[in-house]
Amino acid sequence: MVIEIKDLNKGFGDNKVLINFDLNLYKGESVAVLGKSGSGKSVLIKCIVGLMQADSGSIKVFGKDMIGLNAEELDQARVRIGFLFQSNALYDSMTVRENLEFPLRRHWIEKTPEEVEAMIKEALTNVGLPDTIDMMPSELSGGMRKRISIARTLILKPDIILYDEPTTGLDPITAKGISQLMVDVQKKYNTSSLIISHDLNCIKITADKLVMLIDGKNYAQGTYEEMKENKDKKVKEFFEI
Amino acid sequence: MINKPALIRFLEEAGDITRFTLRFFRELFHGRFEFNELLRQSFFIGYKSLGLVGLTAFIMGLVITIQSRPTLVEFGAEAWLPKMVSISLIREIVPVITALICAGKIGSGIGAELGSMRVTEQIDAMEVSGTNPMKYLVVTRVVAAVLTIPLLALLADAIALYGGYLGCNIHGAVSWRLFWNQVFETNTYSDVIPAITKTFFFGFAVGIIGCYKGYNSRKGTEGVGRSANQAVVIASLLIFILDLIAVQIADVLGLT
Amino acid sequence: MKKSISQNARLGIFVIAGTVFLVVLLYMIGAKRSLFSSTFRISAQFYNVNGLMEGNNVRFSGINVGIVEQVEINTDSTIKVTMLIEDKVKQYVKKSAVASVGTDGLMGNKLVNINSVKNGSIAHVEDGDILNTLKPIETDEMLRTLNTTNDNIKFITGDLKKITQKINSSNTLWSLLMDTVIADNLKQAIVNIKVTGSRTAIITGDLQEITKGFKNSKSLVATLFTDTMLSSELENTILKLNVSSDKIAYVSGDLSTLTSKMKSGEGTIGMLVTDSVFANDLRSTLKNLDKGTKGFDDNMEALKHNFLLRNYFKKQAKKAKN
């Protein structure tokens, strides 16, 4: 078990987003969290990497609780978690190379320039864009940016990758390409994935297990087929479109 | 939650800015310092603003000289033109104009840049990537602004005085040496030092407000625009308030 | 990487330019305030410093040589002003130099003026010396004096205007202006005066003798002239003649120097000679003088021919013949 979330509570003022949420992610497994917009999916994964502080509950990553860590410990833990942002979060002012170098800036990661260069090349090759190395993010298309973003997530070879709506804003064909890339990466590096999405096509391709985040709870979980057959009205909504 | 009374909103804002400032100082003095990024930001904030600031300063120097001449001629004190112009330029006009130009250019630039970084999750990405965005983005920009705006003001002083020299020579004839002789004779340390000192604070105001507004930008492109706009408005206002405080402190200290 | 190097270089230029200007600015101001040169201290005690402040300039014969370091009240009637003076002027400032509080221009900053005095001591000032002081000139007082002066000037210029108008309307004066032989004429005039002077002397001597003769003579004429009243009158005339001849001699002496000075073209007179008005005046004066001497000659001649004295003169002529 790489991620174990128990009784997680998170609210903004009176608006309780997560209420006693539970989730388990096993080694090599790929779990998709399905939920409506504003249901707290992004909040969930931001709590996992410590971008947001949970109100209560526990989030254990590799057996270590992410809540209450100091900056140094948090950073050590984050190295093992890749985070793919919904809006890619590529640094506009930097080239692709500098974007990919950025996670390696940590002072305790000591790499020679040659090693860094090799890592960047490898990551870019993995996403199929080795020639974009000196381009600026603004020169790239949406799909390419997503791939570069994945490359940046991959550069530290994390054990877990958190995908925040990886296919949102992409056309179906590009979205499918990205989904396929996610599967390839999973296979190649044997990572565990937590995918936040409401794109059923993507989930169908990438996820081994689905978690329905409804009313702030882990409402139901199971394989894609199981969920599709679920008779619960609230679960059914997601598959009726 | 949105429709709070204006006073409450204002006080909350003031409190937030104070908290942000304290956080800035905490980050400034703890842990490592992003020196290369500081250089990069100094380049963008300082060097890239030089043209704009220089042009403004030159025009101000020229205009102030031309505008002051008739009054001095009326008193028969035309020979005082370099002295009067240099005093008003160095003491007040150049520092404030430089700061305002920087509030417009740098403040809004930082506000918009950090705002869009916040909105497109780049700030979050940085944090996840093990780089403290407060250090990497905020500290470097604020320090760069604090260090470069005084430099800009100094260069603007030089350019504005040159403008003043040309202005003196439109109708009259003041030699290059006489002009500078008068400038250096009239201006004392008590004119120059408070003027330069306050530009550090102006730089701080521009940097910290720009960063605060950008860093706490709301979601969406509208939020970015609002951040940039408010950064300029608040920073400009703050510059005048700081100027008021600075002049009173200088007065109390007898640096008049 | 190349990009960032050139960026850094430009940033470097920017930073260096700014810093250099700052350093130059501070240095130049410092140099003006003589903060970076070696200095010494002198002080002076004033009754009133008229708002002199620390940092005001100190001038020696009009050149900035230092600043006022301290202004403090010494006693109820003296203010001690300590000045910081550049070392290099030490050799020029004497112990007898006088300090005064002045103003730079009409409304400018206060400053301390140090001026040398004529025939003062030869010793240079030393660190810690106390200079003599002058009462500061107060602007109010100065303006009051100026006002009176202005009134006077108004009258004078009025008069001058009238004079110039008169001169301008006079044609003879203008024609005289063109004459370039004033000096020669003057010389001639002096010669004449001298001659006249000597003649006068002779005549006076003659007259004295006549009177003596009258007094002692038994002739009718003599009796007529023993009337004491008449004789005393005559004596009086002679006395006057004497005085006038003396005066003429004096005038001629003055004129002599005047001409020599004029010839060498020096001094005010030399300058004034080129001034038309003065030349005119001089011209007419000389003319009058000439006329005067001529008149005097005529008078003397007339006296000779006077019937009362004709006899005496004949006798004299005879004596001279013998």
Side-chain angles (χ1 to χ4, degrees), chain B residues 91-157:
Chain B
R91 283 191 73 122
E92 185 62 31
I93 293 167
V94 168
V96 171
I97 287 290
T98 306
L100 287 179
I101 291 285
C102 289
K105 187 179 187 295
I106 298 166
S108 69
I110 293 175
E113 192 188 6
L114 293 198
S116 67
M117 287 184 86
R118 164 64 71 198
V119 167
T120 59
E121 298 174 303
Q122 289 175 50
I123 292 176
D124 286 339
M126 241 169 225
E127 196 163 353
V128 173
S129 299
T131 295
N132 184 338
M134 200 65 193
K135 275 190 198 305
Y136 189 82
L137 298 174
V138 175
V139 171
T140 53
R141 279 167 174 77
V142 176
V143 172
V146 169
L147 295 180
T148 56
I149 288 177
L151 280 171
L152 280 172
L154 275 166
L155 291 171
D157 273 336

Side-chain angles (χ1 to χ4, degrees), chain C residues 176 179-187 262 273 279 282-283 286:
Chain C
L176 275 169
D179 203 335
T180 51
V181 287
I182 292 168
D184 284 348
N185 285 353
L186 253 176
K187 214 174 176 184
M262 257 167 56
V273 170
L282 208 62
R283 208 68 211 273
L286 288 175

Side-chain angles (χ1 to χ4, degrees), chain C residues 231-275:
Chain C
S231 76
S232 74
E233 260 176 32
L234 246 174
E235 228 166 353
N236 208 17
T237 313
I238 292 155
L239 212 70
K240 275 183 182 164
L241 270 169
N242 235 339
V243 171
S244 79
S245 71
D246 279 354
K247 273 189 183 163
I248 287 166
Y250 188 71
V251 170
S252 64
D254 274 1
L255 277 170
S256 177
T257 36
L258 183 72
T259 15
S260 63
K261 273 192 180 167
M262 257 167 56
K263 269 186 177 168
S264 59
E266 68 174 22
T268 345
I269 293 169
M271 198 185 74
L272 279 172
V273 170
T274 48
D275 184 319

Side-chain angles (χ1 to χ4, degrees), chain B:
Chain B
M1 195 165 145
I2 298 152
N3 294 320
K4 283 182 198 165
L7 180 67
I8 303 275
R9 272 212 308 275
F10 171 77
L11 291 176
E12 276 182 359
E13 184 95 354
D16 280 348
I17 293 174
T18 312
R19 201 190 305 273
F20 190 77
T21 308
L22 291 175
R23 202 174 147 202
F24 162 80
F25 281 111
R26 235 185 356 255
E27 301 287 353
L28 177 65
F29 295 117
H30 290 101
R32 73 170 184 160
F33 190 75
E34 302 282 356
F35 190 73
N36 285 327
E37 182 63 11
L38 172 70
L39 287 185
R40 218 171 72 95
Q41 289 305 325
S42 300
F43 175 77
F44 284 117
I45 292 174
Y47 184 84
K48 292 273 183 183
S49 309
L50 188 56
L52 189 65
V53 169
L55 181 67
T56 322
F58 177 76
I59 292 171
M60 282 318 288
L62 196 62
V63 168
I64 291 291
T65 312
I66 295 169
Q67 298 271 43
S68 307
R69 171 180 287 274
T71 318
L72 286 178
V73 167
E74 208 166 297
F75 285 111
E78 205 183 336
W80 277 59
L81 195 57
K83 294 185 180 190
M84 212 196 90
V85 165
S86 67
I87 282 274
S88 44
L89 284 177
I90 289 178
R91 283 191 73 122
E92 185 62 31
I93 293 167
V94 168
V96 171
I97 287 290
T98 306
L100 287 179
I101 291 285
C102 289
K105 187 179 187 295
I106 298 166
S108 69
I110 293 175
E113 192 188 6
L114 293 198
S116 67
M117 287 184 86
R118 164 64 71 198
V119 167
T120 59
E121 298 174 303
Q122 289 175 50
I123 292 176
D124 286 339
M126 241 169 225
E127 196 163 353
V128 173
S129 299
T131 295
N132 184 338
M134 200 65 193
K135 275 190 198 305
Y136 189 82
L137 298 174
V138 175
V139 171
T140 53
R141 279 167 174 77
V142 176
V143 172
V146 169
L147 295 180
T148 56
I149 288 177
L151 280 171
L152 280 172
L154 275 166
L155 291 171
D157 273 336
I159 296 165
L161 287 174
Y162 181 68
Y165 165 72
L166 291 185
C168 286
N169 278 292
I170 291 177
H171 294 294
V174 179
S175 77
W176 179 252
R177 277 191 71 168
L178 177 65
F179 181 83
W180 288 103
N181 234 337
Q182 290 216 14
V183 169
F184 291 129
E185 192 162 351
T186 315
N187 285 279
T188 59
Y189 286 142
S190 56
D191 294 315
V192 174
I193 290 169
I196 294 171
T197 310
K198 69 183 175 188
T199 56
F200 283 97
F201 291 93
F202 292 166
F204 184 76
V206 169
I208 201 86
I209 296 299
C211 286
Y212 167 77
K213 279 292 164 188
Y215 204 78
N216 295 302
S217 184
R218 293 220 200 100
K219 279 266 178 192
T221 36
E222 189 221 337
V224 176
R226 191 201 294 268
S227 292
N229 179 276
Q230 286 187 345
V232 177
V233 174
I234 296 178
S236 305
L237 188 66
L238 212 55
I239 284 164
F240 284 110
I241 293 170
L242 285 171
D243 197 37
L244 182 69
I245 296 170
V247 82
Q248 283 172 338
I249 291 175
D251 196 42
V252 168
L253 294 177
L255 299 170
T256 46

Side-chain angles (χ1 to χ4, degrees), chain A residues 214-225:
Chain A
I214 296 166
D215 300 334
K217 289 189 175 71
N218 187 344
Y219 196 79
Q221 58 180 29
T223 62
Y224 183 78
E225 269 66 37

